[in-house]
Amino acid sequence: MAAHTGLPAPALGRGGVHAFTPVAPAESAPYSPMGTEGWQLGSPSDAEKLFSRCSAKLRALRADSGQLREELNLLFDQLLSENYNKTFYPNINIRPEDVCTLLKHASCLVPLCQEHLVIKLCQLMHHLLNQLKVILDEQTLDVLVKYTASALKTCSTWTHSDVLLALSTIVYGNGPQCHQHLSDLLVEDGVLLLYSAPSQPNMELRRVALTCMANIFLRIPGQPPLDDQYRSVCFRVFLKTLQSPKPPNTDELFYCMVIQAALKGLQCCLSGGKWKFGGGEELGSVLATLKRLMFQGAPGVSVEWPAVLYPAPLPQYEGLSTPKPAEPPKPSETPKDAAVPGKASGNKKRKSRGKGKKTSTEENRGNDGEEDDREAVSAFRKGGGREGESKPSAPSLYPSWKRNSSDSEFSDTEGNAQSKLRLYHGRVRQGALHCLLALMKGVEKRTLYGYWSSFIPDSPIGGPPPLTLLTIVLKDPSPKVRACALQVLSAMLDGSRQFLAVAEDTASPRTSFTPFSFSLATAVRELHRALSLALLAETAPQTLTQVIKCLAYLVANAPYHRLRPGLLSPLWKQMRAYVRHRDVNVRVSVLTLYGALVTTQAPLPEVQLLLRHPDGGGSSSTGSFTPQDSALSWRQRDGMSSPCRTPVIRSQRSSHTHSPHVLHTPGEEDSLPPWLLQLCVSLVTQPREEQSDSEGAGTGGGAVLEPSPVRLEALQVLSHLVRGYFSLAQACLCEIGQVSARCLGETDPSIQLHGAKLLEELGTGIIQQYRAENNVPESSRVPMSQVVQFWSEVLSGPLNGALQNEQHPMLQTSACDTLSSILPQAFSKLPDKTQLMCITVLLGLTYNENYLLKTAAVRALGVYILFPCLREDVMFVADTANTILAALDDRSPNVRAKAAWSLGNLTDTLIVNMESVGVDFQEELSDMLLLKMLQAATRASADKDRVKSNAVRALGNLLHFLRQSQLTRSAFQRPLEDAVRALVKTIQSEATMKVRWNACYALGNAFRNPALPLESALWSRDAFSALCNVVTSCKNFKVRIKSAAALAVPAHRRCYGDTKRFSCVWHSLATALENSEDTNDFLEYRYSASLRHTLSQALLHLLSVSHSQDMPDLGASLAGPEGIGIKEHLIRYLRAEEGGGEGAEGEKDAGGDSFNPQQRIGRLQQTLIRLKGVNSEGELGREEERGKEVVVSFLEDLLKTCEEP
């Protein structure tokens, strides 16, 4: 690994670990020039020559050479005097193996008794490894670690600082390779733990020891974490260092450097995989320590910090410390400079209106309420004076870090010291936030939710505002610290949707206490308010990017459908000013935020209104501008059209270029395309006129498009907009299609991929409109003629080329997904050659070696097999079946999973054709092909669960589809038995519940085939036994529902077998009905009504098919306690008392029982009439007659009860 100390080389930032940047100690780089303008010994070639010459001389030396000490001194001085820094001299070409050879040989020449030479050698190790970024081989690493470790044991204490610095450079990122030395380095009474202890008086030794320990635990991605025992030891050392007070008579700068080293070590420990905190208050103690250090040296912060933070839904507030009498605040300054900054006084708002004149931009951005907060932001960020001191004039909105030196309140010497101290304090705050970020990523989010109130405020009533992450975001003078706080806040918000889903404030709480849901909603509103203020105050582009990204995380996770409207509108309008920002990263983040806005809980009424009327309903004021002018004014405005410009943009440009303030009637505004759609199309297709400094100078030639990241993000926003708000985007269907076609015709694969994805979203939106269950009026749908025209143009354009672009399999994969999003009704109206092209391409791509492409092609065939115009084509069905069978044997589980899904769809098509076309289709389909499908589905039922779930679905359909002539053939006998036993085995297995209920449904589907020999087959007994067992014992109610519905499928009494089996089915259903509310899982309880519905329907079905020999068992059951419970549930079923959503679901699961109460009673009356006509014969006649009387009486009483009002 590259050898660095971590602290002196912050620019490296290896392994995703945020590097700290403290000032390096004097010995870290002796004789090395630190700037390009300083003196230098020569050109990079001279440095290489010097190294080569000195290295050769050094290798020629032997331990018994005369004048060894003098020669080593001279060579070390020459090597140390040269600058090898690749940051300044990237062309230096010194081989790492030469450096390793030199250091190994030098360590053999320098005895530990020559302490001055030992120091120079250690300085040389640090100098070469740090500047040349050398990756040490294992042998060199072992030699150097042993040498430095021995030096720590042997040499005098005054050498240990340089030795530890060299050791920290050697072990940087090499912790896992040094595991054999860790027992010596981290021994309880060893040098590292001794020097890093808070009791160590030498702060420099303490700092270097902590740095060395941190570098040991620095983990490069891909490396295994170190043993937990070593991590725990060092973790306690780092934490104890952070929690210990500053020793008396210790320089504040040195103390800050020690704290930085401990913070870096703590960060490395937390970043080395998931961290398990000890019991008790360890996590709360770490959080409290980091929160205190987050405000280290922050101007005006003087509070008593808690030692531990406790998880609680209510926020904790820091207590104010007693003011120091030595520096009492002046009376005139009391309202402005309180102990806790940011506290708005009662008359601040009135004063702010008369102070100074703001620019027009500031006046347009904020309102009076925001002015107060901006004053507080500025007051905190000044940080130029001592705590408690401030100028008597009004707070300035001009950022403190932009003032010139004439604003300083100190002399040059004092000012330099204060500036350096502020710099070090800022690095401590930055390091604490980096640790907090590592903790947020390394600890389970559910554990951290209880601590949210300590880091995110919920607008408490009264008292000083709490010190939270938002305090830093708004008021810290360092943009890097503000950016770190925003990263931590983003990490907290990321993935918090389930936690924030509880938030609700649609109605104010009327209780004596504030509900947790209302507090959480208030926290969301406070986040919106604070981040909006940060947008107004922020000037650093990198930090501004983090603000917008943080807002995107908030928008993506907050439940706006449960909050009062009005949060998104100000944000939407505020972001429009940043669309034209000169920094490309800011523009990209703005588009990311807009993507989150149109994605969250789409379609959201507030966002829908903003898309139609982005200016808030068309009201205008002085200085306002139209949406198009706001977004496009920074682009071309001279009326010149680019050939690639789409019609929608040309029309909007022509209508707004010369009269930007024109007002539209409501009808005209509704007919206009959404402003965001126009913006994204323009960003993708139109050239830009302005460039940021980071984008380089213009080419001076033709028009240059937006940078690729901006165009990609704009395409993603278009996709989100089409997915969530298709009804607003459908007016521009052809124009968006042209944008996609243009993207597919470009050479950038990323642009091509996003263009294909946009086409897929358009196709999916059209399909959703035409689905019957969505109840979209025909007048609101895209006309069928337009859909056909759209796909005709797409399929005759560059999509065909993308499908055949073998150099980019990912593009082919996305193009396959696009083909599968064609509306079935439109596909049938496409030209025959176009249909044939789609089918031929998909069939060919299933034999590609790329598993992702093969998966997409197989899935697309599974979609096409459901098309009405294709499913009756026997040749297409056969070709698709053979392709799917080949894919089921693929080595990729993803391909097999999609192949099983497609096979399930294909067998669904067989059932539909059997019912619509009839025997003709069954006879045309090859028996051999059906046999192969049955055997392949049986094999797939033993695969992974995601393959198995659709394989059992296909088995049920195939068993339903087989004809009598096929079932009697000997070739089908064994596969038939294997298929049923595979279903039975799946039902009884420990597979996922989805697989088990699919297997139950498949067995019920097979029972619908009248040709199956249920009454005589040996496997029939196992099938009924498995269903009876599951319906009474399975913990999952949906599995019980499917099994009960399957038991009610056989249409004839003979299918249930003998009396014993029939009685077993009856008692299983009755027992399941009695226990239908017994569950320990509350989530299952919601299905109990559906379960009772299905069980009741199944019991009545058994009564309707029962014969005389069944009467004794039925009569005994209905006459006993079991009959009382059955009667109560049947009454509810017949009266439809458990209706609604659950009842509807139960009817659906019961196999299509959608009868109303009158129809159910009518069927019961038919059952009663039939049973009255049943005659008993033989010696058992009397017992059967008595049982029949009980059953008839039970049904008559049931009918009488149901007919009563």
Side-chain angles (χ1 to χ4, degrees), residues 183-209:
S183 57
D184 295 330
L185 293 174
L186 299 176
V187 67
E188 187 172 351
D189 55 349
V191 176
L192 283 180
L193 294 185
L194 177 65
Y195 286 161
S196 61
S199 58
Q200 171 58 237
N202 189 324
M203 300 300 287
E204 176 59 18
L205 278 176
R206 187 176 170 192
R207 180 193 70 81
V208 181

Side-chain angles (χ1 to χ4, degrees), residues 373-485:
D373 292 294
R374 285 203 299 272
E375 287 183 0
V377 170
S378 177
F380 185 97
R381 287 190 184 176
K382 284 181 182 179
R386 300 182 181 91
E387 293 184 14
E389 293 185 4
S390 65
K391 292 184 178 181
S393 60
S396 170
L397 289 176
Y398 194 70
S400 61
W401 57 87
K402 282 193 172 184
R403 296 178 186 170
N404 55 34
S405 59
S406 62
D407 293 328
S408 174
E409 301 175 3
F410 304 97
S411 64
D412 290 342
T413 305
E414 185 182 11
N416 289 337
Q418 289 292 328
S419 177
K420 195 171 184 180
L421 183 58
R422 285 198 301 270
L423 176 66
Y424 275 55
H425 280 154
R427 288 173 176 169
V428 169
R429 297 196 298 273
Q430 187 178 354
L433 289 166
H434 281 149
C435 281
L436 189 57
L437 179 61
L439 188 145
M440 294 295 174
K441 293 180 178 180
V443 178
E444 188 179 0
K445 286 187 175 295
R446 186 176 300 179
T447 305
L448 293 171
Y449 287 149
Y451 298 95
W452 268 43
S453 58
S454 298
F455 296 95
I456 298 177
D458 55 359
S459 295
I461 300 175
L467 296 176
T468 63
L469 286 169
L470 295 181
T471 311
I472 301 175
V473 170
L474 288 172
K475 303 177 181 181
D476 197 286
S478 168
K480 291 183 178 180
V481 176
R482 298 197 298 273
C484 288

Side-chain angles (χ1 to χ4, degrees), residues 1007-1018:
F1007 287 171
R1008 299 180 191 279
N1009 188 346
L1012 280 180
L1014 292 179
E1015 67 279 6
S1016 59
L1018 295 177

Side-chain angles (χ1 to χ4, degrees), residues 1071-1087:
T1071 302
L1073 187 60
E1074 181 182 356
N1075 300 329
S1076 58
E1077 294 184 0
D1078 296 344
T1079 178
N1080 296 325
D1081 189 352
F1082 179 76
L1083 295 177
E1084 296 298 327
Y1085 187 78
R1086 57 182 171 168
Y1087 299 112

Side-chain angles (χ1 to χ4, degrees), residues 96 308 345 436 537 665 727 791 870 876 904 970 1080 1104 1122 1132 1156 1178:
V308 180
S345 61
L436 189 57
T665 64
S727 59
W791 282 114
L870 295 177
F876 174 70
S970 58
N1080 296 325
S1104 68
E1122 194 175 59
R1132 293 179 188 173
N1156 56 39

Side-chain angles (χ1 to χ4, degrees), residues 934 937-942 947-960 975-991 994-1008 1012 1014 1019 1022-1027 1030 1039 1043 1046:
L934 187 66
T938 303
R939 290 193 302 271
S941 67
V947 180
K948 189 183 301 184
S949 61
N950 285 294
V952 295
R953 176 166 70 101
L955 279 178
N957 285 327
L958 289 169
L959 293 174
H960 184 188
L976 171 63
E977 182 178 351
D978 292 342
V980 176
R981 295 197 183 281
L983 292 177
V984 171
K985 183 179 179 181
T986 304
I987 292 173
Q988 296 174 335
S989 69
E990 297 298 326
K994 180 180 178 181
V995 173
R996 296 180 69 186
W997 78 58
N998 273 5
C1000 292
Y1001 179 84
L1003 209 49
N1005 197 6
F1007 287 171
R1008 299 180 191 279
L1012 280 180
L1014 292 179
W1019 46 258
D1022 296 334
F1024 279 102
S1025 176
L1027 291 173
V1030 167
V1039 175
S1043 59

Side-chain angles (χ1 to χ4, degrees), residues 329-338 343-348 351:
K330 298 179 181 180
S332 61
E333 296 173 346
T334 302
K336 297 180 182 178
D337 297 88
K343 179 179 178 181
S345 61
N347 59 354
K348 179 178 272 190
K351 287 183 179 181

Side-chain angles (χ1 to χ4, degrees), residues 846-885:
T846 57
Y847 295 97
N848 194 282
E849 291 299 323
N850 186 286
Y851 81 94
L852 291 175
L853 177 55
K854 185 183 295 188
T855 301
V858 170
R859 176 189 172 275
L861 287 174
V863 173
Y864 276 31
I865 199 66
L866 298 175
F867 285 6
C869 61
L870 295 177
R871 68 187 179 205
E872 296 179 7
D873 185 343
V874 178
M875 294 301 297
F876 174 70
V877 172
D879 290 341
T880 303
N882 285 315
T883 301
I884 292 172
L885 291 178

